[in-house]
Amino acid sequence: SATMTNRLSGALIFDALAIRLRAEDVAGRRSIMNWRFTDIGEDWVLGLEHSALHAVQGRHDAAADVTVSTTRMALIDLVTS
């Protein structure tokens, strides 16, 4: 339901992305992404390594390939569409 998706934490959003990841499509690739949820003031680092995603809350990586600033709901809309 819409109410349930509105309550998804950053960790659950990134878990949903990890589940959708096709390991064979990203084999051998590595990327670090900073995420900033502007509506709730959360920072995350999302890493792609060894064909898997991992997320760490509360920090940014100065060596990240990209920094994305958006609202949590915008990312939820993207993941659930």
Side-chain angles (χ1 to χ4, degrees):
S1 75
T3 303
M4 188 172 158
T5 12
N6 291 345
R7 296 182 183 166
L8 287 176
S9 68
L12 288 175
I13 297 167
F14 292 128
D15 284 349
L17 288 173
I19 289 168
R20 290 178 145 184
L21 186 71
R22 292 178 42 161
E24 62 272 11
D25 290 343
V26 296
R29 295 184 187 191
R30 184 178 187 279
S31 183
I32 302 293
M33 297 157 269
N34 290 325
W35 286 84
R36 169 90 176 152
F37 293 132
T38 57
D39 54 336
I40 58 175
E42 282 187 7
D43 293 326
W44 288 83
V45 174
L46 183 67
L48 171 65
E49 194 170 33
H50 304 295
S51 300
L53 286 177
H54 61 276
V56 178
Q57 184 179 3
R59 69 181 198 94
H60 272 181
D61 187 327
D65 300 305
V66 66
T67 296
V68 179
S69 293
T70 189
T71 64
R72 185 178 53 88
M73 281 308 302
L75 183 56
I76 288 172
D77 288 344
L78 179 68
V79 170
T80 59
S81 62

